[in-house]
């Protein structure tokens, strides 16, 4: 066997367990679900019918779908700013601080992530209470009459976004810290000896060397936004009022588990998958070409 | 930032009459450990703890292992179909979990693995998130590291475990912490797989205090939640120490 | 071709059959319920013990399902797909039509012939809850009514007599205005959960029907319904005496003394009593509409049998009979605050009279019991979506951007279209 062929074979050996398990536990369900999307069935009835593209057509005509799409878009933008950019800046700031305080900050910033989302939502439910919750009480101090967060068509989705940001912030924060720590200290020292300012260090060393992590954080935050929105939506608003806070992550659940229309839910899931696949691939190829990896 | 946590602890210590008091008090007027007692007795807390711990540890190690293998191939080797395989893993993150949940449940049921640890663990062993993250990290290593290993005549397996992994242990530690916490707090999959009281995990068991019909038992729920975050916090603190230590040594080396 | 193969694979996965039981073993049946440790959990354990003592050949594996009736339905659906359903499960009334129409289960009419004694003593209006088009699909088990809880301290603070809460909606509007003017707090909260129980109560109460007799039209666009919902909208947006909050928020606000009256289920009476902050909660039946009789939707569940094995079915029926026996119903009512399906138990000193004497709030439910109407669940494969449409209509009504009439007419049109599927 040639060296090259041996490299190919070895690579596939490393990939084999991952590929096999993923095929069984992720892709087979996806294929089965897509097949199901052409039927009208709830997995249980003795009767079902093939409906062709009907589920897809109905989805596109469904007001809840478009609201969900817009809301997920709003969330994606909010997440990009608040859970991609801000944790980066905070990670840099925290690492500048002296040891003892650094530990404290890191635990504080990460602590929301440690709680289960369900418990976090229960607590935020209390905080969002329009009459005596912390948030509206604070707003009242500065003279603003806070909305009924969870019952208001305009604000419900933002309540969900706030909780999700609070909860997922820590994940990216930890990853940035790890990425920053991997940058060798000598690079900074050498540049400082050459007379570079802190700003220049940040722009010319930190940002480029952190780029692979940043790309990862950006893309995974985007990809996982529907999933992260799901539990808060389920616990706080169930997509209401009147679908105002519905989002792509919750929509699939609603169609499949509240209405038991598994075929219809599968159509939504397939659409969401394809949408995210396309958008992510675009972002990836665009950004990947601009990153300089170590190898 | 932390006020939700404070409220959680505060509620855990309050007797029922105080939980909904009109004005908020952080420290209860009559603090009580009653909620903790109720939480421990009404729900088999220790057993749930053990279940969650076992599943989280095994899943974390398994996910780290499979992710490292797959990322190693995608980052270090050159072979046809490399991008496709990488995309294959990353795309798993885009599949809504409701899609995988039911077929996986049916498969586990068919294999008679309901209410077992294996049923809880096996479908989660691979994660696109881990593969993606480690691929970025591995790819960012200086080329000289791996080449040195090849020149020394090491096998790819040895290079992975003796060179690549140690060089990226900060990222690996961070990833393991995230895996642990994710699995520790997981709800929907264990809910499906376990109906047997003694096999449930902590998040599922805590739902016994939640009832929209009879009213949620907030005190014991928050007490249980306060106890539940301890291992996750410990995992984070340990990883932080480890990460910090690595940084210190890395800075002193070379 | 590949599509066929894939469907085949899915069907194979779905058709997993559980192992067959040996005839000599005790029969073990699974009973799924929503009774958490503070809402009847201990009562379930007591019932299991008492039953197993009487029936040594049957073992009950009781399993708690989180998420109340909706959560249980979701687990049920998945387990039916895997061909491993429980033998008996509690199905919420609002989900009964869907389960009866779409989930394979055992029809219970045959037991009318074999066990006529069992059916005597259960009032007709209660039995009707399990009787849907085509037969008896489930035995009504949990029976709850909405009641109006109130905070006597707030009444006193507003200069009103706490022993005379309003009995009609007209009185409530007046009383509510006084409370708001004198105390600044909200006067009333009508529960706003992810179902339309209170909405149906309002419709029944005003003389309407949530669903027409022939099952072809929803009643949300009837004049009675529109009038009732408009009244609710005015209370929220015009006079602002009613709070527009999610269910959990509203209940918490009541318990912390921010709202004077709260219309929700009697099932919560124990929780209310324990958690009220600084005041004694009292309860009365919900207000009537002028001279019209009291009418409320009934909450709770039916017991449906999903067992496919004859031995399991037999055991399941024995279990159901026990649960509704005087002994079983007594344990059940004491543990949950649900009303006993056999009305006479409430006044029988051997069974439940002491309990009702000691829990004054239960009296409100007892008074409502004879007027309980069904919680209508919508037939057909799209029944659950219809429910959601009506909930969304309520949310839109309470938002107040349009009057109730157009909202309800549109929603009813959409719902009617789905009824015929």
């Amino acid at each position: 066997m040639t060296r090259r062929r041996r490299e190919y074979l070895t690579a596939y050996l490393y990939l084999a367990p991952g590929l096999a398990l993923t095929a069984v536990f992720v892709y087979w369900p996806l294929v089965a679900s897509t097949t199901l999307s052409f039927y009208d069935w709830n997995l249980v009835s003795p009767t079902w019918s093939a409906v062709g593209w009907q589920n897809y057509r109905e989805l596109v005509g469904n007001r809840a779908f478009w609201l969900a799409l817009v809301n997920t878009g709003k969330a994606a933008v909010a997440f990009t700013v608040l859970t991609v950019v801000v944790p980066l800046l905070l990670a840099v700031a925290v690492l500048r601080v002296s040891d003892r305080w650094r530990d404290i900050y890191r635990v504080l910033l990460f602590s929301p992530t440690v709680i289960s989302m369900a418990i976090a939502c229960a607590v935020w439910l209390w905080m969002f209470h329009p009459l005596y919750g912390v948030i509206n009480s604070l707003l009242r101090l500065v003279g603003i009459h806070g909305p009924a967060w969870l019952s208001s068509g305009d604000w419900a989705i933002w309540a969900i976004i706030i909780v999700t940001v609070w909860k997922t912030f820590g994940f990216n924060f930890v990853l940035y810290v790890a990425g920053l720590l991997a940058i060798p200290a000598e690079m900074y020292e050498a540049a400082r000896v050459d007379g570079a300012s802190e700003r220049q260090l940040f722009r010319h060393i930190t940002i480029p060397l952190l780029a692979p992590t940043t790309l990862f954080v950006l893309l995974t935050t985007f990809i996982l936004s529907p999933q992260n929105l799901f539990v808060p939506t389920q616990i706080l608003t169930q997509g209401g009022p009147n679908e105002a806070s519905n989002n792509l992550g919750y929509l699939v659940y609603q169609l499949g588990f509240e209405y038991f229309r598994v075929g219809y839910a599968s159509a939504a899931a397939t659409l969401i998958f394809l949408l995210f696949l396309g958008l992510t691939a675009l972002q990836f190829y665009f950004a990947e070409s601009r990153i300089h990896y170590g190898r | 930032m932390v006020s939700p946590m404070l409220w959680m602890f505060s509620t855990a210590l309050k007797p029922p009459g105080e939980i909904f008091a009109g004005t908020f008090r952080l420290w209860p007027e009559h603090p009580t450990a009653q909620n903790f007692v109720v939480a421990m007795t009404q729900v088999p807390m220790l057993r749930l703890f053990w279940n969650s711990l076992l599943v989280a540890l095994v899943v974390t190690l398994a996910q780290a292992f499979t992710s490292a293998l797959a990322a190693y191939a995608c980052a270090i080797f050159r072979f046809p179909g490399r991008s496709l395989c990488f995309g294959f893993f990353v795309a798993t993150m885009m599949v809504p979990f409701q899609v995988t949940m039911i077929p996986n449940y049916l498969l586990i049921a068919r294999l008679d693995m309901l209410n077992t640890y294996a049923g809880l663990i096996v479908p989660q062993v691979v994660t696109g998130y881990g593969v993606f993250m480690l691929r970025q990290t591995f790819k960012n290593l200086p080329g000289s590291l791996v080449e040195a290993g090849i020149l020394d005549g090491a096998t790819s397996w040895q290079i992975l475990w003796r060179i690549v992994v140690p060089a990226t242990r900060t990222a690996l530690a961070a990833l393991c912490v995230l895996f642990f916490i994710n699995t520790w707090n997981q709800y929907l999959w264990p809910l499906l797989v376990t109906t047997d009281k003694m096999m449930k995990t902590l998040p599922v068991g805590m739902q016994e205090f939640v009832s929209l019909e009879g009213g949620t038992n907030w005190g014991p729920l928050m007490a249980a939640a306060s106890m539940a975050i301890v291992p996750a916090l410990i995992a984070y603190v340990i990883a932080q120490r480890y990460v910090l230590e690595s940084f210190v040594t890395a800075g002193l080396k070379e | 071709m590949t599509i066929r193969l894939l469907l085949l694979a899915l069907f194979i996965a779905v058709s997993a059959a559980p192992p067959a039981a040996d005839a000599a073993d005790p029969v073990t049946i699974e009973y799924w319920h929503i009774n958490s440790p503070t809402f009847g959990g201990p009562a379930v354990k007591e019932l299991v013990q008492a039953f197993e003592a009487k029936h040594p050949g049957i073992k009950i594996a009781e399993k708690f399902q989180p998420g109340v009736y909706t959560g249980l339905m979701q687990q049920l659906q998945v387990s039916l797909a895997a061909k491993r359903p429980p033998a008996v499960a509690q199905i919420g009334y609002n989900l009964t039509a869907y389960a009866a129409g779409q989930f394979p289960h055992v029809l219970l009419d045959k037991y009318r012939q074999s066990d006529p004694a069992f059916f005597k003593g259960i009032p007709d209006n209660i039995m009707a809850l399990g009787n849907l088009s085509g037969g008896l699909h489930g035995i009504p088990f949990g029976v709850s009514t909405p009641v109006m809880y109130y905070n006597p301290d707030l009444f006193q603070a507003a200069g009103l007599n706490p022993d005379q809460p309003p009995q009609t909606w007209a009185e409530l509007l007046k009383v509510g205005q006084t409370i708001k003017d004198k105390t600044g707090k909200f006067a009333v909260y009508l529960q706003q959960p992810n179902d339309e129980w209170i909405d149906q109560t309002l419709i029944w109460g005003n003389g309407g029907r949530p669903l027409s007799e022939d099952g072809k039209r929803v009643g949300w666009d009837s004049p009675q319904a529109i009038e009732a919902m408009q009244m609710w909208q005015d209370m929220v947006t015009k006079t602002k005496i009613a709070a527009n909050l999610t269910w959990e928020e509203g209940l918490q606000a009541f318990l912390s003394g921010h709202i004077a009256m709260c219309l929700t289920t009697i099932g919560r009476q124990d929780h209310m009593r324990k958690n009220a902050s600084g005041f004694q909660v009292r309860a009365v039946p919900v207000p009537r509409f002028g001279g019209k009789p009291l009418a409320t939707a009934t909450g709770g569940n039916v017991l449906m049998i999903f067992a496919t094995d004859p031995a399991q079915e037999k055991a399941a029926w024995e279990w159901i009979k026990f649960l509704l026996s005087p002994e079983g119903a007594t344990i059940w009512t004491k543990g949950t605050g649900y009303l006993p399906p056999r009305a006479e138990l409430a006044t029988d000193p051997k069974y439940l009279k002491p309990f009702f004497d000691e829990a004054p709030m239960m009296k409100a439910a007892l008074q409502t019991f004879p007027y309980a109407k069904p919680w209508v669940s919508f037939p057909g494969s799209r029944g659950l979506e219809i429910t959601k449409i009506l909930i969304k209509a309520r949310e839109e009504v309470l938002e107040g951007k349009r009057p109730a009439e157009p909202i309800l007419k549109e929603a009813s049109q959409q719902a009617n279209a789905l009824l015929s599927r």
Side-chain angles (χ1 to χ4, degrees):
Chain A
M1 206 184 291
T2 63
R3 179 125 180 273
R4 188 162 293 178
R5 285 245 194 85
R6 215 181 305 147
E7 192 175 345
Y8 295 173
L9 188 59
T10 321
Y12 275 104
L13 277 175
Y14 278 107
L15 289 171
L19 288 177
L21 287 164
T22 311
V24 169
F25 290 110
V26 180
Y27 283 102
W28 174 77
L30 180 65
V31 169
S33 160
T34 306
T35 314
L36 208 54
S37 71
F38 295 104
Y39 287 79
D40 181 22
W41 194 35
N42 64 4
L43 283 189
V44 172
S45 273
T47 55
W48 62 81
S49 46
V51 293
W53 293 97
Q54 170 73 0
N55 284 330
Y56 290 95
R57 262 183 270 137
E58 189 180 340
L59 196 60
V60 172
N62 187 348
R63 169 179 167 261
F65 175 69
W66 293 104
L67 280 171
L69 197 58
V70 166
N71 281 335
T72 310
K74 283 188 202 169
V77 170
F79 291 161
T80 306
V81 172
L82 295 171
T83 65
V84 175
V85 173
V86 173
L88 169 59
L89 299 173
L90 277 175
V92 170
V94 161
L95 282 180
R96 293 254 177 90
V97 168
S98 73
D99 277 347
R100 206 182 317 139
W101 282 109
R102 178 190 306 180
D103 273 342
I104 296 181
Y105 282 136
R106 274 155 67 162
V107 171
L108 282 184
L109 284 171
F110 190 68
S111 53
T113 315
V114 169
I115 314 183
S116 81
M117 185 56 114
I119 300 291
C121 290
V123 175
W124 277 91
L125 187 71
W126 169 83
M127 290 187 41
F128 277 126
H129 201 292
L131 298 182
Y132 52 75
V134 170
I135 300 194
N136 278 10
S137 303
L138 288 175
L139 287 177
R140 230 171 283 145
L141 285 177
V142 286
I144 305 179
H145 182 66
W149 291 91
L150 302 177
S151 319
S152 150
D154 300 316
W155 292 100
I157 185 65
W158 290 105
I160 293 174
I161 291 177
I162 290 175
V163 177
T164 312
V165 165
W166 178 83
K167 181 81 174 52
T168 58
F169 181 94
F171 276 94
N172 296 343
F173 176 72
V174 156
L175 291 170
Y176 278 128
V177 167
L180 284 170
L181 286 175
I183 300 176
E186 318 80 66
M187 298 208 75
Y188 289 115
E189 274 149 34
R192 276 201 197 99
V193 160
D194 280 351
S197 72
E198 287 303 313
R199 233 93 151 277
Q200 285 173 317
L201 285 179
F202 187 70
R203 256 189 76 202
H204 295 286
I205 300 184
T206 310
I207 296 280
L209 288 183
L210 204 53
T213 309
T214 310
L215 175 66
F216 172 73
V217 166
L218 180 66
L219 284 186
T220 53
T221 303
F222 175 70
I223 293 174
L224 294 175
S225 35
Q227 216 152 309
N228 286 331
L229 288 171
F230 171 68
V231 175
T233 311
Q234 187 195 27
I235 295 187
L236 296 175
T237 65
Q238 296 95 46
N242 199 12
E243 307 288 19
S245 67
N246 208 345
N247 49 75
L248 293 178
Y250 189 72
L251 186 68
V252 178
Y253 171 83
Q254 185 185 50
L255 301 179
F257 288 86
E258 278 188 33
Y259 305 160
F260 290 136
R261 291 181 60 192
V262 179
Y264 192 31
S266 300
T270 305
L271 272 187
I272 295 170
F273 174 70
L274 291 174
L275 178 69
F276 275 83
L277 190 64
L279 288 175
T280 308
L282 275 175
Q283 291 180 51
F284 188 77
Y285 285 120
F286 180 66
E288 178 90 330
S289 54
R290 294 158 140 228
I291 296 183
H292 177 260
Y293 287 95
R295 285 181 60 82
Chain B
M1 198 77 197
V2 282
S3 50
M5 303 252 280
L6 291 176
W7 187 81
M8 183 177 83
F9 289 126
S10 157
T11 307
L13 292 168
K14 287 184 182 163
E18 277 192 52
I19 294 179
F20 296 108
T23 47
F24 174 68
R25 288 179 61 114
L26 191 54
W27 188 253
E29 223 174 291
H30 302 111
T32 168
Q34 182 63 19
N35 293 326
F36 287 89
V37 173
V38 168
M40 305 264 317
T41 50
Q42 274 180 357
V43 165
M45 222 29 182
L46 284 173
R47 176 74 194 206
L48 296 181
F49 238 87
W50 170 249
N51 291 341
S52 280
L53 192 62
L54 183 66
V55 171
L57 280 175
V58 175
V59 168
T60 301
L61 291 173
Q63 285 183 343
F65 183 68
T66 56
S67 302
L69 286 185
Y72 186 47
C74 291
I76 309 291
F77 289 71
R78 287 217 169 81
F79 56 95
R82 181 165 89 153
S83 300
L84 199 59
C85 285
F86 182 57
F88 193 74
F89 285 112
V90 175
T92 62
M93 286 195 280
M94 301 174 216
V95 179
F97 66 88
Q98 298 95 340
V99 166
T100 56
M101 238 165 62
I102 296 192
N104 285 345
Y105 168 77
L106 294 177
L107 183 61
I108 297 293
R110 178 101 167 101
L111 296 173
D112 264 319
M113 278 163 56
L114 287 177
N115 283 309
T116 63
Y117 290 123
L120 282 168
I121 292 172
V122 169
Q124 308 185 58
V125 163
V126 182
T127 163
Y129 188 82
V131 175
F132 190 179
M133 198 260 181
L134 287 180
R135 181 260 194 190
Q136 300 293 92
T137 319
F138 290 175
K139 208 162 168 215
N140 208 18
L141 288 172
S144 48
L145 269 179
V146 174
E147 272 146 33
I150 297 179
L151 283 174
D152 278 349
T155 64
S156 64
W157 188 255
Q158 288 169 325
I159 295 179
L160 172 60
W161 296 106
R162 301 227 185 120
I163 299 181
V164 174
V165 165
T168 56
R169 60 185 183 284
T170 50
L172 275 168
L175 200 58
C176 284
V177 169
L178 296 183
F179 286 159
F180 183 83
I181 291 176
N182 258 346
T183 318
W184 180 260
N185 285 330
Q186 206 181 40
Y187 176 67
L188 284 169
W189 178 246
L191 176 68
L192 270 187
V193 173
T194 56
T195 46
D196 186 351
K197 208 170 304 195
M198 295 310 267
M199 287 306 294
K200 292 187 180 182
T201 57
L202 215 43
V204 180
M206 287 204 283
Q207 284 296 310
E208 297 227 355
F209 297 112
V210 178
S211 175
L212 290 174
E213 186 74 358
T216 296
N217 214 357
W218 289 100
L221 178 64
M222 291 299 139
S226 305
M227 291 190 274
I229 65 169
V230 170
L233 262 178
I234 292 180
Y236 177 60
V237 170
I238 291 180
Q240 228 201 45
R241 281 283 157 81
Y242 182 58
V243 163
L244 190 63
E245 245 168 274
S246 301
F247 163 64
V248 170
T249 43
L252 292 177
K253 233 188 272 185
E254 279 159 49
Chain C
M1 183 59 202
T2 11
I3 296 197
R4 292 258 181 95
L5 274 178
L6 290 165
L7 272 181
L8 185 63
L10 188 59
F11 294 161
I12 289 179
V14 167
S15 59
D22 187 3
D25 293 332
V27 178
T28 306
I29 58 171
E30 272 194 34
Y31 169 54
W32 284 13
H33 61 84
I34 58 135
N35 299 102
S36 60
T38 45
F39 184 58
V44 173
K45 292 196 177 37
E46 211 185 316
L47 287 165
V48 169
Q49 270 181 332
F51 177 81
E52 286 180 350
K54 285 211 176 104
H55 295 83
I58 307 180
K59 290 248 167 297
I60 310 283
E62 51 94 1
K63 304 222 163 139
F64 166 75
Q65 297 295 337
V68 200
Y69 297 120
T70 320
L72 192 152
M73 278 286 272
Q74 290 164 6
Q75 281 296 118
L76 183 62
Q77 182 220 16
V78 195
S79 71
L80 279 168
K83 299 276 195 298
R84 288 157 194 260
V88 186
Q90 297 176 347
I91 308 291
Y93 288 126
N94 62 327
L95 301 165
T96 305
Y98 187 83
Q102 310 293 319
F103 290 174
H105 61 286
V106 176
L107 266 181
L108 303 174
D109 298 90
K110 56 188 177 187
Y111 290 111
R112 282 200 198 269
Q113 271 90 34
S114 60
D115 282 288
F118 168 74
F119 291 89
K120 264 199 253 167
I122 303 180
D124 282 337
N125 69 331
I126 299 302
M127 211 58 211
L129 301 169
N131 236 332
L132 299 167
S133 53
L136 187 63
H137 297 270
I139 304 292
F141 181 43
V143 179
S144 74
T145 70
V147 294
M148 186 167 78
Y149 297 96
Y150 70 98
N151 182 343
D153 293 358
L154 277 183
F155 270 66
Q156 261 180 326
L160 296 162
N161 185 347
D163 297 319
Q164 289 191 333
Q167 293 187 328
T168 66
W169 283 107
E171 282 174 34
L172 187 138
L173 290 176
K174 265 196 249 136
V175 163
Q177 194 62 51
T178 311
I179 293 181
K180 173 150 171 280
D181 292 335
K182 293 268 172 65
T183 66
K185 309 252 192 213
F186 281 108
V188 68
Y189 173 70
L190 287 83
Q191 70 167 36
Q192 294 170 230
N194 199 21
D195 65 46
E196 14 68 84
W197 196 41
I198 279 289
D199 317 43
Q200 289 208 13
T201 298
L202 287 176
I203 296 180
W204 281 118
N206 202 19
R209 295 185 57 98
L211 184 67
S212 63
E213 293 253 14
D214 58 10
K216 295 222 163 53
R217 298 182 47 90
V218 301
W220 259 253
D221 54 354
S222 62
Q224 296 95 336
I226 294 178
E227 189 184 43
M229 295 299 279
Q230 186 62 52
M231 176 188 79
W232 194 359
Q233 184 189 62
D234 290 338
M235 283 198 287
V236 170
T237 54
K238 253 207 241 140
T239 54
K240 297 211 185 1
I241 60 172
N244 178 13
L245 298 167
T246 65
W247 196 20
E248 194 62 45
E249 284 176 340
L251 293 172
Q252 287 183 18
F254 174 72
L255 289 170
S256 55
H258 283 85
I259 304 182
M261 296 175 270
C262 179
L263 275 83
T264 186
T265 169
I266 187 65
R268 286 247 177 178
Q269 54 96 16
D270 200 49
H271 187 256
M272 292 284 199
R273 189 177 52 84
K274 286 207 184 98
N275 284 286
S277 149
F279 64 94
Q280 290 261 33
V281 185
R282 299 198 207 163
V284 288
V286 299
R288 300 188 313 269
F289 280 88
K292 299 183 188 165
L294 188 62
T296 60
T298 310
N301 60 76
V302 290
L303 295 170
M304 285 178 70
I305 300 184
F306 296 95
T308 45
D309 174 59
Q312 296 240 327
E313 190 192 319
K314 203 155 152 291
W317 180 242
E318 290 300 318
W319 173 236
I320 291 182
K321 281 202 288 188
F322 176 73
L323 286 176
L324 272 96
S325 68
E327 183 190 348
T330 304
I331 301 177
W332 175 241
T333 301
K334 283 208 206 142
T336 55
Y338 274 152
L339 295 171
R342 295 184 189 279
E344 75 270 10
L345 292 175
T347 43
D348 191 335
K350 204 173 30 155
Y351 291 110
L352 282 168
K353 185 159 185 309
F355 170 71
F356 281 106
D357 286 338
E358 273 173 47
M361 291 198 268
M362 291 298 295
K363 290 223 175 69
L366 267 183
Q367 287 171 308
T368 317
F369 193 66
Y371 305 97
K373 296 258 191 265
W375 184 0
V376 174
S377 61
F378 302 102
S381 65
R382 309 290 287 266
L384 299 174
E385 271 172 273
I386 294 177
T387 309
K388 191 73 181 188
I389 290 175
L390 299 169
I391 296 172
K392 289 196 275 188
R394 178 235 296 154
E395 288 171 343
E396 212 193 324
V397 164
L398 295 181
E399 217 183 358
K401 294 202 179 124
R402 290 196 291 168
E405 188 167 345
I407 299 176
L408 293 174
K409 287 216 149 80
E410 273 170 28
S412 300
Q413 241 182 338
Q414 290 176 13
N416 289 336
L418 293 181
L419 264 180
S420 45
R421 296 281 191 91

